[in-house]
């Protein structure tokens, strides 16, 4: 029998991973995870574990950690899920958390050499005062990056383990953004609504900026030197590794998005991506902070835990909001509210999101499928179908300029 859609996607993902095409592997694993409930035969926790490994290869540690956590939720007796979590935490600079995760993996598989080496590396990094170290070599795990964004000599600046005061400040900025977005909804005065709109965008931008700097470090002269080499085409892959991780970070994308909102007429739809992402990351950050205070556990269970549990839905909603914004901006081209500058800048951002963000790609694929069902319907005139296919292919080339292999 022919393999199902989900199983075939898993096979394609495995092949892409072995070939070193990690982004392509992420895309295939995402398809496998989405379709697995319909026609797949692979356990969900295995698919999540494998995609976590792909994200780690791409230095996307937050996404690697998210998949590792969901893998553990799906099967708490799967030792490799804890190993994935340990490696992701190691990559983020949380060596104490990595050591705990590897120890939990060893509790389940006491003789696994990969887990032992991971635990040793995490403890060694802890003992060295938090300086970055490479993860244990592994054939089934992955190696956390030792390349900081700032420079190879400023490893302490690039640590992703945030100081308590910075975590608290970012949390307050995120809550500030969400609250002002809610106040914007219930304000009828145009001047007040614009004021609230801008304050929500500004607070969110501050939180994204501080998160990105805390995770990747402050750019140094070495960073600008690498950028110059990249501009000239003389930079190596190792040179650009840290900058690539920064460019692929969701926080970086929203740092770009928030300022361009200044050119727009206030609209709740435009705030939806930053409100949803701020609410999700604020809940995760608040939950982490409450873990340090036993007295706050009840507060966390009542608020942060409930929001964090809806992570998949919130990310999907964020992707759908991105689609809705572009559609809305295109429609507004034919009205006095048109904003060509925002549309051009936003379109460039969406092209990047389409390439590296699974939720964005899934949202656009879903929207495309719905439009296809209308224009490629059996009763649709052949001329309409032909024109639609040409327009779709043109837009597809603009949205994804990367050559197909």
């Amino acid at each position: 029998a022919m393999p199902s859609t989900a199983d075939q996607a898993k096979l394609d993902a495995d092949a892409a991973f072995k070939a070193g095409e990690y982004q392509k592997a992420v895309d295939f694993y995402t398809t496998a995870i989405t379709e697995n409930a319909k026609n797949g035969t692979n356990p969900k926790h295995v698919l999540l574990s494998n995609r976590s490994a792909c994200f780690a290869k791409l230095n996307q540690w937050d996404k690697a950690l998210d998949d590792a956590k969901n893998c553990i939720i799906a099967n708490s007796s799967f030792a490799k899920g804890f190993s994935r979590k340990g490696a992701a935490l190691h990559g983020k600079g949380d060596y104490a958390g990595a050591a705990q995760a590897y120890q939990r993996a060893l509790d389940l598989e006491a003789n696994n050499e990969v887990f032992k080496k991971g635990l040793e590396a995490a403890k060694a990094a802890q003992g060295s005062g938090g300086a970055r170290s490479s993860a244990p070599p592994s054939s089934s795990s992955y190696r956390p990056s030792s390349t900081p964004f700032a420079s190879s000599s400023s490893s302490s600046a690039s640590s992703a383990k945030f100081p308590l005061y910075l975590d608290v400040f970012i949390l307050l900025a995120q809550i500030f953004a969400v609250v002002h977005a809610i106040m914007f909804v219930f304000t009828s005065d145009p001047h007040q609504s614009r004021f609230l709109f801008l304050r929500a965008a500004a607070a969110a931008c501050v939180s994204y900026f501080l998160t990105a700097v805390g995770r990747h470090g402050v750019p140094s002269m070495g960073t600008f030197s690498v950028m110059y080499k990249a501009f000239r085409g003389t930079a190596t892959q190792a040179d650009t590794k840290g900058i690539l991780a920064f460019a692929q970070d969701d926080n970086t994308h929203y740092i770009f998005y928030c300022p361009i909102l200044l050119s727009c007429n206030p609209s709740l739809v435009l705030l939806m991506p930053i409100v949803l992402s701020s609410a999700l990351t604020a809940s995760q950050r608040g939950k982490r902070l409450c873990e340090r205070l036993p007295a706050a556990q009840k507060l966390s269970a009542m608020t942060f835990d409930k929001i964090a549990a809806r992570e998949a839905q919130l990310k999907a909603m964020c992707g759908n909001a991105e689609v809705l914004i572009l559609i809305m901006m295109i429609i507004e081209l034919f009205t006095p509210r048109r904003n060509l500058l925002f549309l051009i800048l936003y379109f460039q951002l969406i092209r990047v999101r389409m390439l590296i963000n699974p939720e964005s790609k899934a949202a656009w694929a879903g929207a495309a499928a719905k439009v296809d069902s209308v224009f490629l319907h059996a009763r649709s005139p052949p001329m309409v179908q032909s024109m639609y296919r040409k327009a779709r292919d043109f837009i597809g080339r603009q949205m994804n300029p990367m050559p197909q292999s």
Side-chain angles (χ1 to χ4, degrees):
M2 294 292 291
S4 65
T5 302
D7 291 348
Q8 184 60 53
K10 201 263 186 188
L11 295 174
D12 293 338
D14 293 343
F17 185 90
K18 291 177 182 178
E21 298 176 326
Y22 303 120
Q23 184 57 57
K24 185 178 289 187
V26 165
D27 298 338
F28 282 128
Y29 279 129
T30 300
T31 300
I33 292 168
T34 303
E35 299 294 329
N36 199 56
K38 302 176 184 177
N39 53 29
T41 60
N42 292 289
K44 181 181 179 180
H45 65 273
V46 172
L47 298 175
L48 289 166
S49 172
N50 292 354
R51 191 171 70 174
S52 176
C54 295
F55 280 131
K57 287 290 189 180
L58 295 168
N59 294 333
Q60 297 181 25
W61 302 114
D62 280 340
K63 294 176 182 178
L65 181 59
D66 290 344
D67 273 353
K69 288 179 178 179
N70 289 328
C71 171
I72 293 169
I73 292 172
N75 187 347
S76 60
S77 63
F78 185 57
K80 190 176 287 187
F82 292 96
S83 173
R84 301 296 193 205
K85 180 180 178 180
L89 289 171
H90 192 133
K92 285 168 62 66
D94 183 357
Y95 304 118
Q100 292 176 0
Y102 277 120
Q103 184 58 61
R104 185 70 182 88
L106 283 169
D107 291 342
L108 295 169
E109 289 186 20
N111 298 321
N112 191 301
E113 292 299 322
V114 171
F115 302 165
K116 290 179 181 179
K117 291 178 180 179
L119 179 60
E120 291 171 2
K123 287 183 175 179
Q126 272 185 282
S128 63
R132 282 195 180 266
S133 67
S134 60
S138 162
S139 59
S140 62
S141 185
Y142 44 78
R143 183 183 301 273
S145 172
S146 58
T147 306
F149 174 65
S151 69
S152 59
S153 63
S154 57
S155 58
S156 61
S158 63
S159 174
K161 189 173 182 180
F162 289 42
L164 177 61
Y165 70 87
L166 184 58
D167 248 344
V168 172
F169 186 84
I170 294 174
L171 175 62
L172 292 175
Q174 291 172 326
I175 294 174
F176 185 91
V178 173
V179 168
H180 277 72
I182 295 173
M183 292 171 63
F184 167 78
V185 175
F186 296 100
T187 302
S188 57
D189 179 72
H191 298 290
Q192 183 68 11
S193 64
R194 180 160 186 81
F195 177 71
L196 293 170
F197 177 85
L198 295 178
R199 291 188 75 176
C205 190
V206 169
S207 71
Y208 295 130
F209 176 78
L210 292 177
T211 303
V213 170
R215 183 175 298 163
H216 302 284
V218 179
S220 67
M221 291 305 298
T223 304
F224 296 109
S225 175
V226 170
M227 292 174 66
Y228 177 69
K229 289 169 65 178
F231 179 75
R232 296 185 60 190
T234 59
T236 65
Q237 186 173 0
D239 289 333
T240 60
K241 192 173 184 180
I243 295 177
L244 182 61
F246 179 79
Q248 292 178 335
D249 193 327
D250 284 350
N251 292 288
T252 307
H253 303 162
Y254 288 122
I255 291 171
F256 176 83
Y257 176 70
C258 289
I260 65 177
L261 290 179
L262 300 177
S263 69
C264 298
N265 293 314
S267 169
L268 177 60
V269 176
L270 296 175
L271 288 178
M272 283 180 65
I274 59 178
V275 169
L276 293 169
S277 65
S278 293
L280 176 59
T281 53
S283 67
Q284 294 169 338
R285 179 167 280 108
K287 183 178 178 180
R288 185 169 64 249
L289 290 172
C290 287
E291 290 174 354
R292 303 186 184 186
L293 303 171
Q297 292 295 318
K298 188 174 181 180
L299 172 64
S300 178
M302 292 172 57
T303 54
F304 299 129
D305 290 6
K306 292 182 178 180
I307 299 174
R310 297 182 176 274
E311 179 179 356
Q313 295 95 315
L314 289 173
K315 286 184 175 180
M317 290 171 64
C318 194
N320 291 332
E322 292 175 1
V323 176
L324 181 61
I325 289 171
L326 184 61
I327 294 174
M328 184 180 76
M329 288 295 106
I330 292 175
I331 293 174
E332 284 190 352
L333 283 177
F334 304 97
T335 72
R337 286 173 57 93
R338 58 182 171 272
N339 190 334
L340 186 58
L341 174 62
F342 177 85
L343 179 60
I344 293 172
L345 294 175
Y346 184 71
F347 185 77
Q348 298 306 315
L349 173 63
I350 289 302
R351 293 177 73 188
V352 175
R353 300 279 293 168
M354 273 280 293
L355 291 173
I356 64 179
N357 186 274
E359 289 77 27
S360 296
K361 183 168 289 189
W364 286 103
K370 291 179 180 178
V371 177
D372 284 352
S373 66
V374 174
F375 288 95
L376 298 181
H377 191 275
R379 295 183 179 179
S380 180
M383 181 178 294
V384 172
Q385 293 188 26
S386 176
M387 293 176 63
Y388 170 72
R389 286 194 176 93
K390 291 179 180 179
R392 183 187 62 182
D393 292 344
F394 173 76
I395 294 173
R397 287 194 298 271
Q398 299 304 311
M399 294 296 289
N400 185 4
M402 301 299 291
Q404 301 295 320
S405 59

